[in-house]
Amino acid sequence: MLVTDHSDVVVVGAGIVGLGVADAARRRGLSVTVLDRSPAAAGATVRNFGHVCLTPQTGRAWEYGSVARERWLQLGHDAGFRVRQDGTWVVARHPDELALLSAAADQAPDGTPVHLLDADEFTARVPVARAVGGAHLPADLQVDPRRAAAALAAHLERRGVRFRWRTPALGVEEGRVVTGRGTLTAGLVVVAVNHDLDHLLPGLAEAADVQRCALDMLRVDAALPAPLPGPLLTGWSLVRYRAFADLPEAVAVRDRLHAEHPRWAAFDVNQMCTQQPDGSLLVGDTHRRGAGVDPFLSEEAHELLLDGAADLFGVPRPRVLERWQGVYASGPEEFLLARPAPGVVVATVTTGIGMTTGLGFAEHAVQSALQGEGP
Ligand SMILES: Cc1cc2nc3c(=O)[nH]c(=O)nc-3n(C[C@H](O)[C@H](O)[C@H](O)COP(=O)(O)OP(=O)(O)OC[C@H]3O[C@@H](n4cnc5c(N)ncnc54)[C@H](O)[C@@H]3O)c2cc1C
């Protein structure tokens, strides 16, 4: 058992939000301990596409994402992991998708432009089988999620942050965290456990209507004719991300996609992919929400994703290298910042944009807690 041990800040959870909180607190001169029940980050932060998709965000997500973008660039430099600055590529395979991209281009903020491309310009850069056009979102970034999470933790440890792995938090209250290895005391406790909020603080999760959202993901060998120049989004992404989905032009895209592909709609697919440093593709994803999520993975969902990738790139059905399920917290708002007890802050990204926004949201959570502001 640990002897009781004190830090200015104890962070529960070593995903991107917890690491961001640790970084923000450390830079403000505070002593920080991060604890995680796993031997290394193993949650959503290592199971995602590594897509820092700032351009498609609006409102607070865009604001946190703008801060996060700068933090990713700085931390990539300081911690020694690659942050690709090649932007996102969005393929339009139907005129209604191009019309939606065109409307988004007219409204895009200066810092996150949407550059339209015609079919020839797009297919010259991105190895898709067919396109009526597309767009380049140059402000967006890409990281290798597995490498980034490990490098960030190692970097923070070198800068004095203490990590306690394989240490589950059993309860949090004012000034202390009770763990499976003893008690830690702190001036400020930050809970950054993503969907596991429903285990640690079930009453708060229920009151805030936080559910679990489970996603199917694949890493495949797709034998692409040329490398991807960055993350690739499709029409399915346009009807999901708010800077596109909130535009009137999105209605026609959504109605057509759902009518043409009812099974894709049933699995709530966001067809997108990113390429990894070894050339393999991360392909996804599906979405299922509930208080608990079914652990049994549907082969039909995987077949849809594989056939979709073959059709997208005009290649044979890709060979699967890895399959996994990722889970994130899902709520009525995009972020949950709560104070369940004095000196205890809960910071949860409650939709699937934590890699884009988490580092900025963490800065805000620390700043407002130190200023004594309510959530
Ligand atoms: C398949 C998938 C694809 C995604 N793609 C993208 C993307 O491309 N771009 C994007 O912006 N976002 C994406 N997201 C969302 C993003 O990954 C998440 O929003 C983000 O990683 C959440 O970070 P987190 O730190 O809150 O949670 P996590 O990374 O899940 O970390 C939580 C940590 O808390 C620990 N923990 C839980 N309970 C306890 C406890 N009681 N005691 C101690 N430790 C505990 C866990 O072990 C875990 O390490 C995706 C998510 C998924 C699942």
Side-chain angles (χ1 to χ4, degrees):
M1 298 287 275
L2 288 177
V3 286
T4 301
D5 183 341
H6 186 84
S7 308
D8 294 329
V9 182
V10 169
V11 186
V12 185
I16 194 61
V17 175
L19 294 172
V21 166
D23 178 49
R26 176 198 70 78
R27 293 196 337 276
R28 288 164 174 80
L30 301 172
S31 62
V32 182
T33 298
V34 178
L35 62 94
D36 199 293
R37 65 180 178 198
S38 299
T45 296
V46 296
R47 301 183 192 203
N48 60 58
F49 293 97
H51 185 201
V52 181
C53 55
L54 172 60
T55 310
Q57 310 307 329
T58 61
R60 279 200 297 157
W62 191 89
E63 287 164 21
Y64 295 147
S66 297
V67 175
R69 184 180 189 281
E70 297 312 309
R71 292 307 304 148
W72 275 119
L73 292 170
Q74 186 65 50
L75 287 166
H77 174 268
D78 295 347
F81 61 89
R82 184 174 180 213
V83 181
R84 277 186 77 167
Q85 298 186 59
D86 303 310
T88 299
W89 302 79
V90 192
V91 60
R93 291 179 287 178
H94 189 280
D96 59 23
E97 294 173 2
L98 201 53
L100 174 51
L101 284 172
S102 174
D106 290 342
Q107 301 194 13
D110 285 346
T112 47
V114 174
H115 293 152
L116 289 182
L117 301 168
D118 66 26
D120 289 342
E121 289 168 331
F122 194 83
T123 51
R125 291 168 174 80
V126 187
V128 290
R130 63 194 163 79
V132 299
H136 181 221
L137 319 180
D140 294 0
L141 308 175
Q142 184 187 345
V143 297
D144 172 351
R146 303 180 197 190
R147 164 108 186 86
L152 266 176
H155 165 73
L156 291 173
E157 195 158 29
R158 284 193 298 275
R159 300 289 170 102
V161 173
R162 287 185 295 176
F163 281 81
R164 300 210 182 273
W165 300 105
R166 299 174 66 204
T167 305
L170 307 177
V172 291
E173 52 197 64
E174 181 174 6
R176 65 190 204 129
V177 180
V178 179
T179 85
R181 295 179 187 271
T183 299
L184 302 175
T185 61
L188 173 67
V189 176
V190 181
V191 176
V193 295
N194 195 9
H195 55 276
D196 285 313
L197 188 64
D198 59 6
H199 289 177
L200 192 57
L201 294 166
L204 172 62
E206 249 170 56
D209 197 13
V210 174
Q211 294 192 317
R212 293 176 170 231
C213 179
L215 299 80
D216 294 304
M217 292 283 285
L218 302 167
R219 189 168 73 84
V220 303
D221 176 1
L224 296 188
L228 274 189
L232 177 62
L233 302 183
T234 67
W236 292 97
S237 323
L238 295 178
V239 297
R240 180 172 294 276
Y241 294 120
R242 290 187 53 190
F244 304 111
D246 289 353
L247 296 173
E249 288 79 1
V251 175
V253 179
R254 186 179 293 107
D255 288 351
R256 178 184 53 78
L257 286 173
H258 283 226
E260 286 177 355
H261 306 282
R263 294 308 295 158
W264 286 63
F267 282 104
D268 195 8
V269 168
N270 172 15
Q271 188 189 20
M272 62 172 287
C273 51
T274 55
Q275 193 160 36
Q276 298 307 288
D278 66 358
S280 62
L281 283 189
L282 302 188
V283 173
D285 49 16
T286 59
H287 299 81
R288 291 187 302 287
R289 287 181 179 75
V293 290
D294 197 343
F296 307 109
L297 305 184
S298 158
E299 192 59 20
E300 184 192 353
H302 293 178
E303 284 171 0
L304 290 179
L305 295 174
L306 291 168
D307 289 341
D311 179 59
L312 181 61
F313 297 111
V315 296
R317 192 191 257 202
R319 186 168 68 92
V320 177
L321 302 172
E322 293 174 339
R323 301 170 195 262
W324 66 95
Q325 182 182 65
V327 184
Y328 61 67
S330 175
E333 308 290 336
E334 292 176 317
F335 303 92
L336 172 67
L337 188 59
R339 189 174 294 204
V344 178
V345 168
V346 169
T348 314
V349 181
T350 42
T351 186
I353 56 173
M355 292 299 273
T356 306
T357 59
L359 292 175
F361 177 50
E363 290 287 329
H364 171 71
V366 170
Q367 189 63 30
S368 56
L370 294 181
Q371 287 171 348
E373 292 171 6

Coordinates of all heavy atoms in Angstrom, one line a residue, residues 12-18 35-38 41-45 47-51 167-169 192-194 196 200 215 217 285 326-328 349 351-356, ligand 1:
V12 N -7.0 11.7 -12.1 CA -7.4 10.3 -12.3 C -7.6 10.1 -13.7 O -8.6 10.7 -14.3 CB -8.7 10.0 -11.4 CG1 -9.0 8.5 -11.5 CG2 -8.5 10.4 -10.0
G13 N -6.8 9.3 -14.4 CA -7.0 9.0 -15.8 C -5.8 9.6 -16.6 O -5.6 10.8 -16.5
A14 N -5.1 8.7 -17.3 CA -3.9 9.1 -18.1 C -4.2 9.1 -19.6 O -3.3 8.8 -20.4 CB -2.7 8.2 -17.8
G15 N -5.5 9.4 -20.0 CA -5.8 9.6 -21.4 C -5.4 11.0 -21.8 O -4.8 11.8 -21.0
I16 N -5.9 11.5 -23.0 CA -5.4 12.8 -23.5 C -5.9 13.9 -22.6 O -5.2 14.9 -22.4 CB -5.8 13.0 -24.9 CG1 -5.1 14.2 -25.5 CG2 -7.3 13.2 -25.1 CD1 -3.6 14.0 -25.5
V17 N -7.1 13.7 -22.0 CA -7.6 14.8 -21.1 C -6.8 14.9 -19.8 O -6.3 15.9 -19.4 CB -9.1 14.6 -20.8 CG1 -9.6 15.6 -19.8 CG2 -9.9 14.7 -22.1
G18 N -6.5 13.7 -19.2 CA -5.7 13.7 -18.0 C -4.3 14.2 -18.2 O -3.8 14.9 -17.4
L35 N -2.8 9.2 -11.8 CA -2.9 7.7 -11.6 C -3.9 7.1 -12.6 O -4.8 7.8 -13.1 CB -3.4 7.4 -10.2 CG -4.8 8.0 -9.7 CD1 -5.8 6.9 -9.9 CD2 -4.7 8.3 -8.3
D36 N -3.6 5.9 -13.0 CA -4.4 5.2 -14.0 C -4.5 3.7 -13.6 O -3.5 3.2 -13.1 CB -3.9 5.3 -15.4 CG -4.9 5.0 -16.4 OD1 -5.4 3.8 -16.5 OD2 -5.3 5.9 -17.2
R37 N -5.6 3.1 -13.7 CA -5.8 1.7 -13.3 C -5.0 0.8 -14.2 O -4.7 -0.4 -13.9 CB -7.2 1.3 -13.3 CG -7.8 1.4 -14.6 CD -9.3 1.0 -14.7 NE -9.7 1.1 -16.1 CZ -11.0 1.2 -16.4 NH1 -11.9 1.2 -15.5 NH2 -11.3 1.3 -17.7
S38 N -4.7 1.2 -15.5 CA -4.0 0.4 -16.4 C -2.5 0.5 -16.3 O -2.0 1.5 -15.8 CB -4.4 0.8 -17.9 OG -5.8 0.5 -18.0
A41 N -1.6 4.1 -20.9 CA -2.9 4.6 -21.5 C -3.5 3.5 -22.4 O -2.8 3.0 -23.3 CB -2.7 5.9 -22.2
A42 N -4.8 3.2 -22.1 CA -5.3 2.0 -22.9 C -6.8 2.3 -23.3 O -7.5 1.5 -23.8 CB -5.3 0.8 -22.0
G43 N -7.2 3.6 -23.0 CA -8.6 3.9 -23.3 C -8.8 4.5 -24.7 O -8.0 4.1 -25.7
A44 N -9.7 5.4 -24.9 CA -10.0 5.9 -26.2 C -8.8 6.6 -26.8 O -8.7 6.6 -28.1 CB -11.2 6.9 -26.1
T45 N -8.0 7.1 -26.0 CA -6.8 7.9 -26.5 C -5.9 7.1 -27.4 O -5.2 7.6 -28.2 CB -6.1 8.6 -25.3 OG1 -7.0 9.5 -24.7 CG2 -4.8 9.3 -25.7
R47 N -7.1 4.3 -29.0 CA -7.9 3.5 -29.9 C -8.5 4.3 -31.1 O -9.4 3.8 -31.8 CB -9.1 2.9 -29.1 CG -8.6 2.0 -27.9 CD -9.7 1.4 -27.2 NE -9.2 0.8 -25.9 CZ -9.8 -0.2 -25.3 NH1 -11.0 -0.7 -25.8 NH2 -9.4 -0.6 -24.2
N48 N -8.1 5.5 -31.2 CA -8.8 6.4 -32.2 C -7.9 6.6 -33.5 O -6.9 5.9 -33.7 CB -9.1 7.8 -31.5 CG -7.8 8.4 -31.1 OD1 -6.9 8.7 -31.9 ND2 -7.7 8.7 -29.8
F49 N -8.4 7.5 -34.3 CA -7.7 7.7 -35.6 C -6.5 8.7 -35.5 O -5.8 8.8 -36.5 CB -8.7 8.4 -36.6 CG -9.9 7.6 -37.0 CD1 -11.1 7.7 -36.4 CD2 -9.8 6.7 -38.1 CE1 -12.2 6.9 -36.8 CE2 -10.8 5.9 -38.5 CZ -12.0 6.0 -37.9
G50 N -6.4 9.3 -34.4 CA -5.3 10.3 -34.3 C -5.6 11.6 -35.1 O -4.7 12.3 -35.5
H51 N -6.9 11.8 -35.3 CA -7.3 12.9 -36.2 C -7.6 14.2 -35.4 O -8.6 14.1 -34.6 CB -8.5 12.5 -37.1 CG -8.9 13.5 -38.1 ND1 -10.1 13.5 -38.6 CD2 -8.2 14.5 -38.7 CE1 -10.2 14.5 -39.5 NE2 -9.1 15.1 -39.5
T167 N -3.2 1.6 -10.7 CA -3.7 2.1 -9.5 C -5.1 2.7 -9.7 O -5.3 3.8 -10.1 CB -2.7 3.3 -9.0 OG1 -1.4 2.8 -8.9 CG2 -3.2 3.8 -7.6
P168 N -6.1 1.8 -9.4 CA -7.5 2.3 -9.7 C -7.9 3.3 -8.6 O -7.6 3.1 -7.4 CB -8.3 1.0 -9.6 CG -7.4 0.1 -8.7 CD -6.0 0.4 -9.0
A169 N -8.6 4.3 -9.0 CA -9.3 5.2 -8.0 C -10.6 4.5 -7.6 O -11.4 4.1 -8.5 CB -9.6 6.5 -8.7
A192 N -10.6 12.5 -14.9 CA -10.6 12.5 -16.3 C -10.7 11.0 -16.8 O -9.7 10.5 -17.4 CB -9.3 13.2 -16.9
V193 N -11.8 10.3 -16.5 CA -11.9 8.9 -16.7 C -12.8 8.6 -17.9 O -13.2 7.4 -18.1 CB -12.3 8.1 -15.4 CG1 -11.2 8.3 -14.4 CG2 -13.7 8.6 -15.0
N194 N -13.2 9.6 -18.7 CA -14.0 9.3 -19.9 C -15.3 8.6 -19.5 O -15.9 8.9 -18.5 CB -13.1 8.6 -20.9 CG -13.7 8.6 -22.3 OD1 -14.7 9.3 -22.6 ND2 -13.1 7.8 -23.2
D196 N -15.8 5.9 -18.0 CA -15.8 5.2 -16.7 C -16.3 6.1 -15.6 O -16.4 5.7 -14.4 CB -14.4 4.7 -16.4 CG -14.2 3.4 -17.3 OD1 -15.1 2.6 -17.3 OD2 -13.1 3.3 -17.9
L200 N -17.1 5.4 -11.5 CA -16.5 6.1 -10.4 C -17.5 7.0 -9.7 O -17.6 7.1 -8.5 CB -15.3 6.9 -10.9 CG -14.4 7.5 -9.8 CD1 -13.9 6.4 -8.9 CD2 -13.2 8.3 -10.5
L215 N -17.5 1.9 -30.5 CA -17.1 2.0 -32.0 C -16.3 0.8 -32.4 O -15.4 0.4 -31.7 CB -16.3 3.3 -32.2 CG -16.9 4.6 -31.9 CD1 -16.9 4.9 -30.4 CD2 -16.3 5.8 -32.7
M217 N -13.5 -0.6 -34.9 CA -12.3 -0.1 -35.6 C -11.5 -1.2 -36.2 O -11.4 -2.3 -35.6 CB -11.4 0.8 -34.7 CG -12.0 2.1 -34.2 SD -12.0 3.4 -35.4 CE -10.3 3.9 -35.4
D285 N -15.8 4.1 -38.8 CA -16.1 3.4 -37.6 C -17.7 3.4 -37.5 O -18.4 4.0 -38.2 CB -15.5 4.1 -36.4 CG -15.8 5.6 -36.3 OD1 -16.7 6.1 -37.1 OD2 -15.2 6.4 -35.6
G326 N -13.5 0.7 -29.5 CA -13.2 1.8 -28.7 C -14.5 2.3 -28.0 O -15.6 2.1 -28.6
V327 N -14.4 3.0 -26.9 CA -15.6 3.5 -26.2 C -15.3 5.0 -25.8 O -14.2 5.3 -25.3 CB -15.9 2.7 -25.0 CG1 -17.2 3.2 -24.3 CG2 -16.1 1.2 -25.3
Y328 N -16.3 5.8 -26.0 CA -16.2 7.2 -25.4 C -17.4 7.6 -24.7 O -18.5 7.0 -24.9 CB -15.7 8.2 -26.4 CG -16.6 8.4 -27.6 CD1 -17.8 9.0 -27.5 CD2 -16.1 8.1 -28.9 CE1 -18.6 9.3 -28.7 CE2 -16.9 8.4 -30.0 CZ -18.1 9.0 -29.9 OH -18.9 9.2 -31.0
V349 N -14.9 14.8 -22.1 CA -15.3 15.2 -23.5 C -16.5 14.2 -23.8 O -16.2 13.0 -23.8 CB -14.2 15.1 -24.5 CG1 -14.7 15.5 -25.9 CG2 -13.0 16.0 -24.1
T351 N -18.3 13.5 -26.4 CA -18.6 13.1 -27.8 C -17.2 12.7 -28.4 O -16.2 12.8 -27.7 CB -19.3 14.2 -28.6 OG1 -19.6 13.7 -29.9 CG2 -18.4 15.4 -28.8
G352 N -17.2 12.3 -29.6 CA -15.9 11.7 -30.1 C -14.9 12.7 -30.7 O -14.4 12.4 -31.8
I353 N -14.6 13.7 -29.9 CA -13.7 14.7 -30.5 C -12.6 15.1 -29.5 O -12.0 16.2 -29.5 CB -14.4 16.0 -30.9 CG1 -15.3 16.6 -29.8 CG2 -15.3 15.7 -32.1 CD1 -15.9 17.9 -30.1
G354 N -12.2 14.1 -28.6 CA -11.3 14.4 -27.5 C -9.9 14.6 -28.0 O -9.1 15.4 -27.4
M355 N -9.5 14.0 -29.1 CA -8.1 14.2 -29.6 C -8.0 15.6 -30.2 O -7.0 16.2 -30.2 CB -7.8 13.2 -30.7 CG -7.6 11.8 -30.1 SD -6.3 11.6 -28.9 CE -4.9 11.3 -29.9
T356 N -9.1 16.1 -30.7 CA -9.2 17.5 -31.3 C -9.2 18.5 -30.3 O -8.6 19.6 -30.4 CB -10.4 17.6 -32.2 OG1 -10.4 16.5 -33.1 CG2 -10.5 18.9 -32.9
Ligands
LIG1 C1 -12.7 4.5 -32.0 C2 -12.5 5.9 -31.6 C3 -12.1 6.8 -32.6 C4 -12.0 8.2 -32.3 N1 -11.4 9.0 -33.2 C5 -11.1 10.3 -32.8 C6 -10.4 11.2 -33.7 O1 -9.9 10.8 -34.7 N2 -10.3 12.5 -33.3 C7 -10.8 12.9 -32.1 O2 -10.7 14.1 -31.9 N3 -11.3 12.1 -31.2 C8 -11.5 10.8 -31.5 N4 -12.1 10.0 -30.6 C9 -12.5 10.5 -29.3 C10 -11.3 10.5 -28.4 O3 -10.4 9.4 -28.6 C11 -11.7 10.7 -27.0 O4 -12.6 11.8 -26.8 C12 -10.5 10.9 -26.0 O5 -9.5 10.0 -26.2 C13 -11.0 10.9 -24.6 O6 -9.8 11.1 -23.8 P1 -9.9 10.8 -22.2 O7 -8.6 11.1 -21.6 O8 -11.1 11.5 -21.7 O9 -10.3 9.2 -22.1 P2 -9.4 7.9 -22.2 O10 -8.4 8.0 -23.2 O11 -10.4 6.8 -22.3 O12 -8.7 7.8 -20.8 C14 -9.3 7.6 -19.6 C15 -8.4 6.8 -18.7 O13 -8.9 6.7 -17.4 C16 -8.5 5.5 -16.8 N5 -9.5 5.1 -15.8 C17 -10.8 4.9 -15.9 N6 -11.4 4.7 -14.7 C18 -10.3 4.8 -13.8 C19 -10.3 4.6 -12.4 N7 -11.4 4.4 -11.6 N8 -9.1 4.7 -11.8 C20 -7.9 5.0 -12.5 N9 -8.0 5.1 -13.8 C21 -9.1 5.0 -14.5 C22 -8.5 4.5 -18.0 O14 -7.7 3.4 -17.8 C23 -8.0 5.4 -19.1 O15 -6.6 5.3 -19.3 C24 -12.3 8.6 -31.0 C25 -12.7 7.7 -30.0 C26 -12.8 6.4 -30.3 C27 -13.3 5.4 -29.2

